[in-house]
Amino acid sequence: MAALLQTDLPDLQLLSRGKVRDIYATSSPDHLLFVATDRISVYDVILNSGIPDKGKLLTSISLFWFEKLKHIIPNHLVTVNIDEMPDEVRQYREQLEGRTMLVRKAKIVPIEAIVRGYITGELIRSAWAEYQKSQTVCSIPIPERMEESQKFPTPIFTPSTKAEQGSHDENISPKKAAQLIGQDLFDRIQAASLQLYTAATEYAESCGLILADTKFEFGLVPSASAGQDELILVDEVLTPDSSRYWPRDQYEPGKGQPSFDKQYVRNALTAAGYRKGLESGPNANGKGWGIDDIVIEGTRKRYKEAEQMLKSLHS
């Protein structure tokens, strides 16, 4: 089974290729086409290897959560039914089926909204490493004597920058985030993020999963009234790409946890010699980084198992 690393839709205008998604304009001025490829990135580096069906699994999980959480905040999803998409999209059904969403255009808020329920390693930057050095996470003071993977007394909101492709996202303090986007918008995003995380955590635990941390992205669309723009949830939501899921029955604080997310790939890349400064490939050779077939299949199985567990109460 081959991975889809790049879409080829010549009759559509390609607006951008992200770490995972290809985004196209459509004949509808209010909508965009989001296509989840099988690319995978770790440490903000897109790997040469893809994960077969990963884009379909991410789309399936996002759709599940968009529906489950829509009572908290609206989202950008319009439809996943290709027959309901603009005419020029339908000719590419074979490439797009199961991995594409028609979404509302939105003005993207330029921060990543990260919520952490447990102190652990890499999501954006390592919270555990920062805590060991300064007893803070993103400059937020944290209680003494916490163990790796321990649950915080309450979830914490730790924003980061949204870097251009090829650059690294950087943790910033809540104060700095508020300065970047304005205090009112920051407060709205923080409140929505914590509410989304709390609801998702409760559900995930009922499925045998711990949602250790996650990343949300938000956009603004014109309000139906003449008031302030409406805040909506955009991009993907609560997938193994943007979140850290642990099996609840194997949870043991004081060490790293088995997971259903990209940590498995991060570990493999680190073992292969990756470190900051070698983003272009081993020994900075410019050829990029790949992963072997065992890691590819192991990652696919983990993502699939996470999807099955999340949907187990709905089957």
Side-chain angles (χ1 to χ4, degrees):
M1 182 186 303
L4 179 68
L5 296 180
Q6 185 170 297
T7 54
D8 181 21
L9 314 178
D11 289 344
L12 300 182
Q13 179 188 358
L14 177 67
L15 299 179
S16 69
R17 291 197 196 278
K19 294 169 187 171
V20 174
R21 283 162 187 79
D22 292 347
I23 302 177
Y24 291 86
T26 73
S27 57
S28 171
D30 299 322
H31 300 131
L32 298 172
L33 194 71
F34 270 40
V35 188
T37 71
D38 296 333
R39 296 191 293 266
I40 189 164
S41 69
V42 294
Y43 304 118
D44 297 319
V45 175
I46 300 172
L47 305 187
N48 296 333
S49 315
I51 309 298
D53 283 340
K54 173 174 169 282
K56 293 181 179 181
L57 290 168
L58 297 182
T59 301
S60 173
I61 294 169
S62 287
L63 294 177
F64 173 81
W65 284 115
F66 279 143
E67 177 65 24
K68 191 158 194 65
L69 300 173
K70 66 183 182 181
H71 66 287
I72 295 175
I73 187 172
N75 58 69
H76 68 165
L77 177 65
V78 176
T79 186
V80 293
N81 186 340
I82 293 178
D83 290 328
E84 297 174 355
M85 295 182 186
D87 291 342
E88 70 274 13
V89 174
R90 300 176 196 174
Q91 63 184 305
Y92 301 114
R93 181 186 301 272
E94 185 175 347
Q95 278 188 73
L96 300 178
E97 196 77 67
R99 64 171 73 245
T100 191
M101 301 185 292
L102 190 70
V103 302
R104 300 166 68 186
K105 281 186 178 178
K107 180 182 178 182
I108 303 302
V109 180
I111 64 168
E112 307 274 10
I114 300 165
V115 183
R116 304 176 191 263
Y118 295 73
I119 188 163
T120 186
E122 186 71 33
L123 177 56
I124 297 301
R125 301 276 80 81
S126 175
W128 175 239
E130 179 185 341
Y131 175 78
Q132 290 175 298
K133 290 179 181 178
S134 61
Q135 208 173 301
T136 62
V137 174
C138 298
S139 303
I140 300 170
I142 301 299
E144 295 180 359
R145 295 186 294 277
M146 289 195 74
E147 298 180 287
E148 183 179 4
S149 303
Q150 186 175 342
K151 188 175 184 178
F152 289 117
T154 58
I156 60 173
F157 180 72
T158 61
S160 80
T161 60
K162 273 183 62 68
E164 296 296 324
Q165 186 169 317
S167 301
H168 292 290
D169 299 328
E170 296 292 341
N171 290 336
I172 54 177
S173 67
K175 181 179 179 180
K176 179 61 179 291
Q179 291 171 346
L180 285 174
I181 65 174
Q183 189 68 52
D184 178 70
L185 181 55
F186 174 84
D187 290 343
R188 292 162 65 192
I189 287 174
Q190 178 175 243
S193 299
L194 290 169
Q195 192 175 0
L196 288 165
Y197 176 80
T198 298
T201 296
E202 291 175 358
Y203 176 80
E205 288 191 358
S206 72
C207 300
L209 291 168
I210 291 174
L211 177 60
D213 47 33
T214 194
K215 174 180 67 177
F216 300 111
E217 295 192 39
F218 293 91
L220 295 167
V221 296
S223 173
S225 64
Q228 64 181 183
D229 287 345
E230 181 181 25
L231 186 68
I232 65 171
L233 193 58
V234 302
D235 198 59
E236 63 181 345
V237 60
L238 293 159
T239 72
D241 263 16
S242 64
S243 312
R244 197 189 314 268
Y245 287 104
W246 297 335
R248 191 184 62 186
D249 61 357
Q250 298 178 51
Y251 173 62
E252 185 178 346
K255 62 180 184 179
Q257 306 298 309
S259 66
F260 296 102
D261 51 67
K262 291 198 294 186
Q263 193 60 45
Y264 179 63
V265 184
R266 294 187 191 103
N267 293 345
L269 205 64
T270 300
Y274 175 86
R275 64 179 187 274
K276 191 171 183 179
L278 295 181
E279 288 85 354
S280 66
N283 301 314
N285 62 12
K287 296 181 179 180
W289 289 89
I291 49 178
D292 62 33
D293 290 344
I294 293 175
V295 178
I296 289 171
E297 183 57 26
T299 303
R300 183 177 179 274
K301 286 182 178 179
R302 283 165 170 79
Y303 277 46
K304 183 64 178 176
E305 187 172 358
E307 180 204 33
Q308 291 172 338
M309 292 179 73
L310 287 169
K311 293 185 174 183
S312 61
L313 299 184
H314 290 253
S315 58

